[in-house]
Coordinates of all heavy atoms in Angstrom, one line a residue:
M111 N 132.6 -9.8 210.8 CA 131.4 -9.2 210.1 C 131.3 -7.7 210.3 O 130.9 -7.0 209.4 CB 130.2 -9.9 210.8 CG 128.8 -9.4 210.2 SD 128.7 -10.1 208.5 CE 127.1 -9.7 208.2
K112 N 131.7 -7.2 211.5 CA 131.8 -5.8 211.7 C 132.8 -5.1 210.8 O 132.4 -4.1 210.3 CB 132.2 -5.6 213.2 CG 131.8 -4.3 213.7 CD 132.1 -4.3 215.2 CE 131.4 -3.1 215.9 NZ 131.5 -3.1 217.3
N113 N 133.9 -5.7 210.6 CA 134.9 -5.1 209.7 C 134.4 -5.2 208.2 O 134.7 -4.2 207.4 CB 136.3 -5.9 209.7 CG 137.0 -5.6 211.0 OD1 136.8 -4.5 211.6 ND2 137.9 -6.5 211.4
L114 N 133.7 -6.2 207.8 CA 133.1 -6.2 206.5 C 132.1 -5.1 206.3 O 132.1 -4.4 205.3 CB 132.5 -7.5 206.3 CG 131.7 -7.7 204.9 CD1 132.8 -7.7 203.8 CD2 131.1 -9.2 204.9
M115 N 131.3 -4.8 207.3 CA 130.3 -3.8 207.2 C 130.9 -2.5 207.1 O 130.5 -1.5 206.3 CB 129.3 -3.8 208.4 CG 128.4 -5.0 208.4 SD 127.5 -5.2 206.9 CE 126.2 -4.0 207.1
K116 N 132.0 -2.2 207.8 CA 132.8 -0.9 207.8 C 133.4 -0.7 206.4 O 133.4 0.4 205.8 CB 133.9 -0.9 208.8 CG 133.4 -0.7 210.2 CD 134.6 -0.6 211.2 CE 134.1 -0.4 212.6 NZ 135.3 -0.4 213.5
M117 N 134.0 -1.9 205.8 CA 134.6 -1.8 204.5 C 133.5 -1.5 203.4 O 133.8 -0.7 202.5 CB 135.4 -3.0 204.2 CG 136.6 -3.3 205.0 SD 137.8 -2.0 204.8 CE 138.4 -2.4 203.2
L118 N 132.3 -2.1 203.5 CA 131.3 -1.9 202.6 C 130.9 -0.5 202.7 O 130.6 0.2 201.7 CB 130.2 -2.8 202.8 CG 129.0 -2.7 201.9 CD1 129.4 -3.0 200.4 CD2 127.9 -3.7 202.3
G119 N 130.7 0.1 203.9 CA 130.3 1.5 204.0 C 131.3 2.5 203.4 O 131.0 3.5 202.8
L120 N 132.5 2.2 203.7 CA 133.6 3.1 203.1 C 133.6 3.0 201.6 O 133.8 3.9 201.0 CB 135.0 2.5 203.7 CG 136.3 3.3 203.3 CD1 136.0 4.8 203.7 CD2 137.4 2.7 203.8
L121 N 133.4 1.8 201.0 CA 133.3 1.6 199.6 C 132.2 2.4 199.0 O 132.4 3.1 198.0 CB 133.2 0.2 199.3 CG 133.1 -0.2 197.8 CD1 134.4 0.2 197.0 CD2 132.9 -1.6 197.5
I122 N 131.1 2.4 199.7 CA 129.9 3.1 199.1 C 130.2 4.6 199.2 O 129.9 5.3 198.2 CB 128.6 2.8 200.0 CG1 128.2 1.4 199.7 CG2 127.5 3.7 199.7 CD1 127.1 0.8 200.5
V123 N 130.8 5.1 200.2 CA 131.1 6.5 200.4 C 132.1 6.9 199.3 O 132.0 8.0 198.6 CB 131.6 6.9 201.8 CG1 132.2 8.3 201.8 CG2 130.4 6.8 202.7
A124 N 133.1 6.1 199.0 CA 134.1 6.4 198.1 C 133.6 6.4 196.7 O 133.9 7.3 195.9 CB 135.3 5.3 198.2
V125 N 132.7 5.5 196.3 CA 132.1 5.4 195.0 C 131.2 6.7 194.8 O 131.2 7.3 193.8 CB 131.3 4.2 194.8 CG1 130.3 4.3 193.5 CG2 132.3 3.0 194.7
F126 N 130.5 7.1 195.9 CA 129.6 8.2 195.8 C 130.5 9.5 195.4 O 130.1 10.2 194.6 CB 128.9 8.4 197.1 CG 128.0 9.7 197.1 CD1 126.9 9.8 196.4 CD2 128.5 10.8 197.8 CE1 126.1 10.9 196.5 CE2 127.8 11.9 197.8 CZ 126.6 12.0 197.2
F127 N 131.5 9.7 196.2 CA 132.3 10.9 196.0 C 133.1 10.8 194.7 O 133.2 11.9 194.0 CB 133.2 11.2 197.1 CG 132.6 11.8 198.3 CD1 132.4 11.1 199.5 CD2 132.0 13.1 198.2 CE1 131.7 11.6 200.5 CE2 131.3 13.6 199.3 CZ 131.1 12.9 200.5
A128 N 133.6 9.7 194.2 CA 134.2 9.6 192.9 C 133.3 9.9 191.8 O 133.7 10.6 190.8 CB 134.8 8.2 192.7
N129 N 132.0 9.5 191.9 CA 131.0 9.7 190.9 C 130.8 11.3 190.7 O 130.5 11.8 189.7 CB 129.7 9.0 191.1 CG 128.8 9.1 190.1 OD1 129.2 9.1 188.9 ND2 127.5 9.1 190.3
C130 N 130.9 12.0 191.9 CA 130.6 13.4 191.8 C 131.7 14.2 191.1 O 131.5 15.4 190.7 CB 130.4 13.9 193.2 SG 129.0 13.3 194.0
T131 N 132.9 13.7 191.0 CA 134.0 14.4 190.4 C 134.5 13.9 189.0 O 135.4 14.5 188.5 CB 135.3 14.3 191.4 OG1 135.6 12.9 191.4 CG2 134.9 14.8 192.7
I132 N 133.9 12.9 188.4 CA 134.3 12.4 187.2 C 134.0 13.2 186.0 O 134.7 13.4 185.1 CB 133.8 10.9 187.1 CG1 134.5 10.1 188.0 CG2 134.1 10.4 185.6 CD1 134.0 8.7 188.1
Q133 N 132.8 13.7 185.9 CA 132.3 14.4 184.7 C 131.7 15.8 185.0 O 131.5 16.1 186.0 CB 131.2 13.5 184.0 CG 130.0 13.2 185.0 CD 129.1 12.2 184.4 OE1 129.0 12.1 183.2 NE2 128.4 11.5 185.2
Y134 N 131.6 16.6 183.9 CA 131.0 17.8 183.9 C 129.5 17.6 184.0 O 128.8 17.3 183.1 CB 131.4 18.6 182.6 CG 130.8 19.9 182.5 CD1 131.3 21.0 183.2 CD2 129.7 20.1 181.6 CE1 130.7 22.3 183.1 CE2 129.0 21.4 181.5 CZ 129.6 22.4 182.2 OH 129.0 23.7 182.1
T135 N 128.9 17.9 185.2 CA 127.6 17.7 185.4 C 127.0 18.4 186.5 O 127.7 19.0 187.3 CB 127.3 16.2 185.6 OG1 125.8 15.9 185.6 CG2 127.9 15.6 186.8
T136 N 125.7 18.4 186.8 CA 125.1 19.0 187.9 C 125.1 18.1 189.1 O 125.2 16.9 188.9 CB 123.6 19.5 187.5 OG1 123.0 18.3 187.2 CG2 123.6 20.5 186.5
P137 N 124.9 18.6 190.3 CA 124.7 17.6 191.4 C 123.5 16.7 191.1 O 122.6 17.2 190.5 CB 124.4 18.6 192.6 CG 125.0 19.9 192.2 CD 124.9 20.0 190.7
P138 N 123.6 15.5 191.6 CA 122.6 14.6 191.3 C 121.2 14.9 192.0 O 121.2 15.3 193.1 CB 123.1 13.2 191.7 CG 124.1 13.6 192.8 CD 124.6 14.9 192.4
G139 N 120.1 14.7 191.3 CA 118.8 14.7 192.0 C 118.6 13.2 192.3 O 118.5 12.4 191.5
Y140 N 118.5 12.9 193.7 CA 118.6 11.5 194.1 C 117.3 10.8 193.7 O 117.3 9.6 193.4 CB 118.7 11.4 195.6 CG 120.1 12.0 196.0 CD1 120.4 13.1 196.6 CD2 121.3 11.2 195.6 CE1 121.6 13.6 196.8 CE2 122.6 11.5 195.9 CZ 122.7 12.7 196.6 OH 124.0 13.2 196.8
L141 N 116.2 11.4 193.6 CA 114.9 10.7 193.1 C 114.7 10.9 191.7 O 114.3 10.0 190.9 CB 113.7 11.2 193.9 CG 113.7 10.9 195.4 CD1 112.5 11.6 196.1 CD2 113.9 9.5 195.7
F142 N 114.9 12.2 191.1 CA 114.6 12.4 189.8 C 115.4 13.7 189.3 O 115.6 14.6 190.1 CB 113.1 12.8 189.6 CG 112.8 13.2 188.2 CD1 112.6 12.4 187.1 CD2 112.6 14.6 187.9 CE1 112.3 12.8 185.9 CE2 112.3 15.1 186.6 CZ 112.1 14.1 185.7
Q143 N 115.9 13.7 188.1 CA 116.7 14.8 187.6 C 116.4 14.9 186.1 O 116.5 13.9 185.4 CB 118.2 14.6 187.8 CG 119.0 15.7 187.4 CD 120.5 15.5 187.6 OE1 121.0 14.5 187.3 NE2 121.2 16.5 188.1
S144 N 116.2 16.1 185.6 CA 116.0 16.4 184.3 C 116.6 17.7 184.0 O 115.8 18.7 184.3 CB 114.6 16.2 183.8 OG 114.5 16.5 182.4
V145 N 117.8 17.9 183.6 CA 118.4 19.2 183.4 C 119.1 19.3 182.1 O 119.6 18.4 181.5 CB 119.4 19.5 184.6 CG1 118.7 19.6 185.9 CG2 120.5 18.4 184.6
S146 N 119.3 20.6 181.7 CA 120.1 20.9 180.5 C 121.2 21.9 181.0 O 120.9 22.8 181.7 CB 119.3 21.5 179.4 OG 118.4 20.5 178.9
L147 N 122.4 21.8 180.5 CA 123.5 22.8 180.8 C 124.3 23.1 179.6 O 124.4 22.2 178.7 CB 124.2 22.3 182.0 CG 124.6 20.8 182.1 CD1 126.1 20.8 182.4 CD2 123.8 20.2 183.0
N148 N 124.9 24.2 179.6 CA 125.7 24.7 178.5 C 127.1 24.3 178.8 O 127.7 24.5 179.8 CB 125.5 26.2 178.4 CG 126.3 26.7 177.2 OD1 127.4 27.1 177.4 ND2 125.8 26.7 176.1
K149 N 127.8 23.8 177.9 CA 129.2 23.4 178.0 C 130.1 24.4 177.2 O 131.2 24.9 177.8 CB 129.5 22.0 177.5 CG 130.9 21.6 177.4 CD 131.5 21.5 178.7 CE 132.9 20.8 178.7 NZ 133.8 21.3 179.6
D150 N 129.8 24.7 176.0 CA 130.7 25.5 175.1 C 129.8 26.4 174.2 O 128.9 25.9 173.6 CB 131.6 24.7 174.4 CG 132.7 25.5 173.7 OD1 133.0 26.6 174.0 OD2 133.0 24.9 172.5
V151 N 130.2 27.6 174.1 CA 129.4 28.5 173.2 C 130.5 29.1 172.3 O 131.5 29.5 172.7 CB 128.6 29.5 173.9 CG1 127.9 30.5 172.9 CG2 127.6 28.9 174.8
S152 N 130.1 29.4 171.0 CA 131.0 30.1 170.1 C 131.1 31.5 170.6 O 130.3 32.0 171.3 CB 130.4 30.1 168.7 OG 129.1 30.8 168.7
T153 N 132.1 32.2 170.0 CA 132.3 33.7 170.5 C 131.3 34.6 169.9 O 131.1 35.7 170.4 CB 133.7 34.1 170.0 OG1 133.9 33.9 168.6 CG2 134.8 33.4 170.8
G154 N 130.6 34.2 168.8 CA 129.6 35.1 168.2 C 128.2 34.7 168.8 O 128.0 33.7 169.5
N155 N 127.2 35.3 168.3 CA 125.8 35.0 168.6 C 125.2 33.9 167.8 O 124.2 33.4 168.1 CB 124.9 36.3 168.5 CG 125.2 37.3 169.5 OD1 125.7 36.9 170.6 ND2 125.0 38.6 169.2
D156 N 125.8 33.6 166.7 CA 125.4 32.6 165.7 C 125.8 31.2 166.2 O 127.0 30.9 166.2 CB 125.9 32.9 164.3 CG 125.4 31.9 163.3 OD1 124.3 31.2 163.5 OD2 126.2 31.6 162.3
I157 N 124.8 30.4 166.7 CA 125.1 29.0 167.0 C 124.8 28.0 165.9 O 124.9 26.8 166.2 CB 124.5 28.7 168.4 CG1 123.0 28.6 168.3 CG2 125.0 29.5 169.5 CD1 122.2 28.1 169.4
G158 N 124.3 28.5 164.8 CA 124.0 27.6 163.7 C 122.5 27.3 163.5 O 121.8 27.7 164.5
T159 N 122.2 26.6 162.5 CA 120.8 26.3 162.3 C 120.4 24.9 162.4 O 119.2 24.6 162.5 CB 120.4 26.7 160.7 OG1 121.3 25.9 159.9 CG2 120.6 28.2 160.5
K160 N 121.4 24.1 162.7 CA 121.1 22.6 162.8 C 121.6 22.2 164.3 O 122.4 22.8 164.9 CB 122.0 21.8 161.8 CG 121.7 22.1 160.4 CD 122.6 21.3 159.6 CE 122.4 21.6 158.0 NZ 123.2 20.8 157.1
S161 N 120.9 21.2 164.7 CA 121.4 20.5 166.0 C 121.3 19.0 165.9 O 120.4 18.5 165.1 CB 120.5 21.1 167.1 OG 119.2 20.6 167.0
G162 N 122.1 18.3 166.6 CA 122.0 16.9 166.6 C 122.3 16.4 168.1 O 123.1 17.0 168.8
T163 N 121.8 15.2 168.5 CA 121.9 14.8 169.8 C 122.4 13.3 169.8 O 122.1 12.5 168.9 CB 120.5 14.8 170.5 OG1 120.0 16.1 170.4 CG2 120.6 14.3 171.9
A164 N 123.3 13.1 170.7 CA 123.9 11.7 170.9 C 123.9 11.4 172.4 O 124.3 12.2 173.2 CB 125.3 11.6 170.3
C165 N 123.4 10.3 172.8 CA 123.2 9.9 174.2 C 123.9 8.7 174.7 O 124.1 7.7 173.9 CB 121.7 9.8 174.5 SG 120.8 11.2 174.1
T166 N 124.3 8.7 175.9 CA 124.7 7.5 176.6 C 123.7 7.0 177.7 O 122.9 7.9 178.2 CB 126.1 7.6 177.3 OG1 126.0 8.7 178.3 CG2 127.2 7.9 176.3
H167 N 123.5 5.8 178.0 CA 122.5 5.3 178.9 C 123.2 4.4 179.9 O 124.1 3.7 179.7 CB 121.4 4.5 178.1 CG 120.9 5.2 177.0 ND1 119.8 6.1 177.1 CD2 121.2 5.2 175.6 CE1 119.5 6.6 175.9 NE2 120.4 6.1 175.0
G168 N 122.6 4.6 181.2 CA 123.2 3.7 182.3 C 122.1 3.0 183.0 O 121.0 3.6 183.2
V169 N 122.3 1.8 183.4 CA 121.3 1.0 184.1 C 121.9 0.5 185.4 O 123.0 -0.1 185.4 CB 120.7 -0.1 183.3 CG1 119.7 -0.9 184.0 CG2 120.1 0.3 181.9
L170 N 121.3 0.8 186.5 CA 121.7 0.3 187.8 C 123.1 0.9 188.2 O 123.7 0.3 189.1 CB 121.6 -1.2 188.0 CG 120.3 -1.8 187.8 CD1 120.4 -3.3 187.7 CD2 119.3 -1.3 188.7
G171 N 123.6 1.8 187.5 CA 125.0 2.3 187.8 C 126.1 1.3 187.4 O 127.2 1.5 187.8
L172 N 125.7 0.3 186.8 CA 126.6 -0.8 186.4 C 126.9 -1.0 185.0 O 128.0 -1.3 184.6 CB 126.1 -2.2 187.0 CG 125.9 -2.3 188.5 CD1 125.2 -3.6 188.8 CD2 127.3 -2.3 189.2
F173 N 125.8 -0.7 184.2 CA 126.0 -0.9 182.8 C 125.8 0.4 182.1 O 124.7 1.1 182.2 CB 124.9 -2.0 182.3 CG 125.0 -3.2 182.9 CD1 124.0 -3.5 183.9 CD2 126.0 -4.2 182.7 CE1 124.1 -4.7 184.7 CE2 126.0 -5.4 183.3 CZ 125.0 -5.7 184.3
Y174 N 126.7 0.8 181.2 CA 126.5 2.1 180.4 C 126.9 1.7 179.0 O 127.8 1.0 178.7 CB 127.6 3.1 180.9 CG 127.3 3.6 182.3 CD1 127.8 3.0 183.5 CD2 126.5 4.8 182.4 CE1 127.4 3.5 184.7 CE2 126.1 5.2 183.7 CZ 126.6 4.6 184.9 OH 126.3 5.0 186.1
F175 N 126.1 2.3 178.1 CA 126.2 2.1 176.7 C 125.8 3.3 175.9 O 125.0 4.1 176.4 CB 125.4 0.8 176.3 CG 123.9 0.8 176.7 CD1 123.0 1.4 175.9 CD2 123.5 0.4 177.9 CE1 121.6 1.4 176.2 CE2 122.3 0.5 178.3 CZ 121.3 1.0 177.4
G176 N 126.3 3.3 174.6 CA 125.9 4.4 173.7 C 127.1 5.3 173.4 O 128.0 5.3 174.1
D177 N 126.9 6.1 172.4 CA 128.0 7.0 171.9 C 127.4 8.4 172.1 O 126.6 8.9 171.4 CB 128.3 6.8 170.5 CG 129.5 7.7 170.0 OD1 129.9 8.5 170.8 OD2 129.9 7.5 168.8
G178 N 127.9 9.1 173.2 CA 127.4 10.5 173.5 C 128.5 11.5 173.1 O 128.5 12.6 173.7
G179 N 129.4 11.2 172.2 CA 130.3 12.1 171.8 C 129.9 13.3 170.9 O 128.8 13.2 170.3
I180 N 130.7 14.4 170.8 CA 130.4 15.5 170.0 C 130.2 15.1 168.5 O 129.4 15.5 167.7 CB 131.4 16.6 170.2 CG1 131.2 17.1 171.6 CG2 131.1 17.8 169.2 CD1 132.3 18.1 172.0
G181 N 131.2 14.2 168.1 CA 131.2 13.7 166.7 C 129.8 12.9 166.3 O 129.4 13.2 165.3
A182 N 129.4 12.1 167.3 CA 128.2 11.4 167.0 C 127.0 12.4 166.9 O 126.2 12.2 166.1 CB 128.0 10.4 168.0
A183 N 126.9 13.4 167.8 CA 125.9 14.3 167.8 C 125.9 15.1 166.4 O 124.8 15.4 165.9 CB 126.0 15.2 169.0
A184 N 127.1 15.5 166.1 CA 127.2 16.3 164.8 C 126.8 15.5 163.6 O 126.1 16.0 162.7 CB 128.7 16.8 164.7
E185 N 127.2 14.2 163.6 CA 126.8 13.4 162.5 C 125.3 13.2 162.4 O 124.7 13.2 161.4 CB 127.5 12.0 162.6 CG 127.2 11.1 161.5 CD 127.9 9.8 161.7 OE1 129.0 9.7 162.3 OE2 127.4 8.7 161.2
E186 N 124.7 13.0 163.6 CA 123.2 12.8 163.6 C 122.5 14.0 163.2 O 121.4 13.9 162.6 CB 122.8 12.5 165.1 CG 121.4 12.0 165.3 CD 120.3 13.1 165.5 OE1 120.7 14.2 166.0 OE2 119.2 12.9 165.2
G187 N 123.1 15.2 163.4 CA 122.4 16.4 163.0 C 122.8 17.0 161.6 O 122.4 18.0 161.1
G188 N 123.7 16.2 160.9 CA 124.2 16.7 159.6 C 125.0 17.9 159.7 O 125.1 18.7 158.9
I189 N 125.7 18.1 160.8 CA 126.6 19.3 161.1 C 128.1 19.1 160.6 O 128.6 18.1 160.9 CB 126.5 19.6 162.6 CG1 125.1 19.9 163.1 CG2 127.4 20.8 162.9 CD1 125.0 20.0 164.5
K190 N 128.5 20.1 159.9 CA 129.9 20.0 159.4 C 130.8 20.8 160.3 O 132.0 20.6 160.5 CB 130.0 20.4 158.0 CG 129.1 19.6 157.0 CD 129.8 19.2 155.8 CE 129.0 18.5 154.8 NZ 128.5 17.2 155.2
V191 N 130.3 22.0 160.8 CA 131.0 22.9 161.6 C 130.2 23.1 163.0 O 129.2 23.7 163.0 CB 131.2 24.3 161.0 CG1 132.0 25.2 161.9 CG2 132.0 24.1 159.6
V192 N 130.8 22.6 164.1 CA 130.1 22.7 165.4 C 130.5 24.1 166.0 O 131.7 24.5 166.0 CB 130.7 21.6 166.3 CG1 130.1 21.8 167.7 CG2 130.3 20.2 165.7
K193 N 129.4 24.8 166.3 CA 129.7 26.1 166.9 C 129.3 26.2 168.4 O 129.7 27.1 169.0 CB 128.8 27.1 166.1 CG 129.1 27.3 164.7 CD 128.3 28.3 164.0 CE 128.8 28.6 162.6 NZ 128.0 29.6 161.9
A194 N 128.5 25.3 169.0 CA 128.1 25.2 170.4 C 127.8 23.8 170.8 O 127.4 23.0 170.0 CB 127.0 26.2 170.6
V195 N 128.1 23.6 172.1 CA 127.8 22.2 172.6 C 127.1 22.4 174.0 O 127.5 23.2 174.8 CB 129.1 21.5 172.9 CG1 128.8 20.1 173.5 CG2 129.9 21.3 171.6
D196 N 126.0 21.7 174.1 CA 125.2 21.7 175.3 C 125.1 20.1 175.8 O 125.4 19.3 175.0 CB 123.8 22.2 175.1 CG 123.8 23.6 174.8 OD1 124.7 24.4 175.2 OD2 122.9 24.1 174.0
Y197 N 124.7 20.0 177.0 CA 124.5 18.7 177.6 C 123.1 18.6 178.3 O 122.7 19.6 178.8 CB 125.6 18.3 178.6 CG 126.9 18.1 178.0 CD1 127.8 19.1 177.9 CD2 127.3 16.9 177.4 CE1 129.1 19.0 177.4 CE2 128.5 16.7 176.8 CZ 129.4 17.8 176.8 OH 130.6 17.6 176.2
S198 N 122.6 17.5 178.2 CA 121.3 17.3 179.1 C 121.5 15.9 179.8 O 122.3 15.0 179.4 CB 120.1 17.2 178.2 OG 120.1 16.0 177.4
R199 N 120.8 15.9 181.0 CA 121.0 14.8 181.9 C 119.6 14.4 182.5 O 118.8 15.3 182.9 CB 121.9 15.1 183.1 CG 122.2 13.9 184.0 CD 123.1 14.4 185.1 NE 123.2 13.3 186.1 CZ 124.0 12.3 186.1 NH1 124.9 12.1 185.1 NH2 124.0 11.4 187.1
F200 N 119.3 13.1 182.5 CA 118.0 12.6 183.0 C 118.4 11.5 183.8 O 119.1 10.6 183.4 CB 117.1 12.2 181.8 CG 115.9 11.5 182.3 CD1 114.8 12.3 182.7 CD2 115.8 10.2 182.3 CE1 113.6 11.7 183.1 CE2 114.6 9.5 182.8 CZ 113.5 10.3 183.1
S201 N 117.8 11.4 185.0 CA 118.1 10.2 185.9 C 116.9 9.9 186.8 O 116.1 10.8 187.2 CB 119.3 10.3 186.7 OG 119.2 11.4 187.6
L202 N 116.6 8.7 187.1 CA 115.6 8.1 188.0 C 116.4 7.5 189.1 O 117.2 6.6 188.9 CB 114.7 7.2 187.4 CG 113.7 7.8 186.3 CD1 113.0 6.7 185.6 CD2 112.8 8.8 186.9
L203 N 116.2 7.9 190.4 CA 116.8 7.3 191.5 C 118.3 7.2 191.4 O 118.9 6.2 191.8 CB 116.1 5.9 191.9 CG 114.6 5.9 192.2 CD1 114.2 4.4 192.3 CD2 114.3 6.7 193.4
T204 N 118.9 8.2 190.9 CA 120.3 8.4 190.6 C 120.9 7.3 189.8 O 121.5 7.6 188.8 CB 121.0 8.6 192.0 OG1 120.4 9.6 192.7 CG2 122.5 8.9 191.7
V205 N 120.8 6.1 190.2 CA 121.6 5.0 189.5 C 120.6 4.0 188.8 O 121.1 3.2 188.0 CB 122.6 4.2 190.3 CG1 123.6 5.2 190.8 CG2 121.8 3.6 191.5
L206 N 119.3 4.1 189.1 CA 118.4 3.1 188.5 C 118.4 3.2 187.0 O 118.7 2.2 186.3 CB 116.9 3.3 189.0 CG 115.9 2.3 188.4 CD1 116.2 1.0 188.9 CD2 114.5 2.8 188.8
Y207 N 118.3 4.5 186.5 CA 118.5 4.7 185.0 C 119.0 6.1 184.9 O 118.5 7.1 185.5 CB 117.1 4.5 184.3 CG 117.2 5.0 182.8 CD1 117.8 4.1 181.9 CD2 116.8 6.2 182.4 CE1 117.9 4.5 180.6 CE2 117.0 6.6 181.1 CZ 117.5 5.7 180.2 OH 117.7 6.2 178.9
S208 N 119.9 6.3 184.0 CA 120.5 7.6 183.7 C 120.8 7.8 182.2 O 121.1 6.8 181.6 CB 121.8 7.9 184.5 OG 122.7 7.0 184.1
Q209 N 120.6 9.0 181.8 CA 120.9 9.3 180.4 C 121.6 10.6 180.3 O 121.2 11.5 181.0 CB 119.6 9.3 179.6 CG 119.7 9.9 178.2 CD 118.4 9.9 177.5 OE1 117.5 9.3 177.8 NE2 118.3 10.8 176.5
V210 N 122.8 10.7 179.6 CA 123.5 11.9 179.4 C 123.6 12.1 177.9 O 124.1 11.2 177.2 CB 124.9 11.9 180.1 CG1 125.7 13.2 179.8 CG2 124.8 11.7 181.6
C211 N 123.1 13.3 177.5 CA 123.1 13.6 176.0 C 124.0 14.8 175.7 O 124.0 15.7 176.4 CB 121.7 13.9 175.6 SG 120.7 12.4 175.6
T212 N 124.8 14.7 174.6 CA 125.5 15.8 174.0 C 124.6 16.4 172.9 O 124.2 15.7 172.1 CB 126.9 15.3 173.5 OG1 127.5 14.6 174.6 CG2 127.7 16.5 173.0
I213 N 124.5 17.7 172.9 CA 123.7 18.4 171.9 C 124.7 19.3 171.2 O 125.2 20.3 171.7 CB 122.6 19.2 172.5 CG1 121.7 18.3 173.4 CG2 121.7 19.8 171.4 CD1 120.8 19.0 174.3
A214 N 125.0 19.0 169.9 CA 125.9 19.8 169.0 C 125.0 20.7 168.2 O 124.0 20.3 167.7 CB 126.7 18.9 168.2
R215 N 125.5 21.9 168.1 CA 124.7 23.0 167.3 C 125.7 23.6 166.3 O 126.8 23.8 166.7 CB 124.2 24.0 168.1 CG 123.2 23.5 169.2 CD 122.6 24.6 170.0 NE 121.9 24.1 171.2 CZ 120.7 23.5 171.3 NH1 120.0 23.4 170.2 NH2 120.2 23.1 172.4
G216 N 125.3 23.8 165.1 CA 126.2 24.4 164.1 C 125.6 24.4 162.7 O 124.4 24.3 162.5
D217 N 126.5 24.4 161.7 CA 126.0 24.4 160.3 C 126.6 23.2 159.5 O 127.6 22.7 159.9 CB 126.4 25.7 159.6 CG 125.7 26.9 160.2 OD1 124.5 26.9 160.4 OD2 126.5 27.9 160.5

């Protein structure tokens, strides 16, 4: 039983640290998080007149669904030329519910 508890603790620590290194994101807000961050900006000041958003959703840290790709965001906004990409992240109790959105901007 003692070995099982050690292994479970080690697994929890490993999953926690692996989650921190997988994606481009901010450090987690363990109770609540709602942030936006910039991923890529065009070289000019013009980021376009249209924007589109595509999101992925996670429940209990076990089930993830949705298409959060740049292509899906561009299609949703009717964008033909993507000039800038931003991301937003929302989570409750870190793994209870999470949402990561890609925001494409362009013309």
Side-chain angles (χ1 to χ4, degrees):
M111 184 67 172
K112 201 173 195 179
N113 285 338
L114 179 63
M115 294 303 286
K116 285 182 184 179
M117 292 298 288
L118 183 59
L120 183 61
L121 179 64
I122 289 170
V123 169
V125 167
F126 173 78
F127 282 112
N129 189 33
C130 292
T131 61
I132 291 174
Q133 56 187 334
Y134 174 78
T135 186
T136 60
Y140 292 107
L141 297 177
F142 173 79
Q143 182 182 45
S144 179
V145 296
S146 295
L147 42 134
N148 182 266
K149 174 66 173 151
D150 182 34
V151 178
S152 64
T153 55
N155 292 332
D156 179 26
I157 61 169
T159 58
K160 299 178 182 178
S161 68
T163 304
C165 300
T166 60
H167 308 274
V169 179
L170 300 176
L172 298 172
F173 306 102
Y174 290 89
F175 53 91
D177 183 358
I180 295 172
E185 182 179 332
E186 191 270 335
I189 299 170
K190 303 226 184 295
V191 178
V192 175
K193 295 184 175 181
V195 178
D196 297 326
Y197 291 96
S198 67
R199 180 178 171 92
F200 173 82
S201 66
L202 292 173
L203 298 176
T204 307
V205 296
L206 180 66
Y207 174 78
S208 63
Q209 174 183 334
V210 177
C211 295
T212 302
I213 305 159
R215 302 181 195 281
D217 293 315

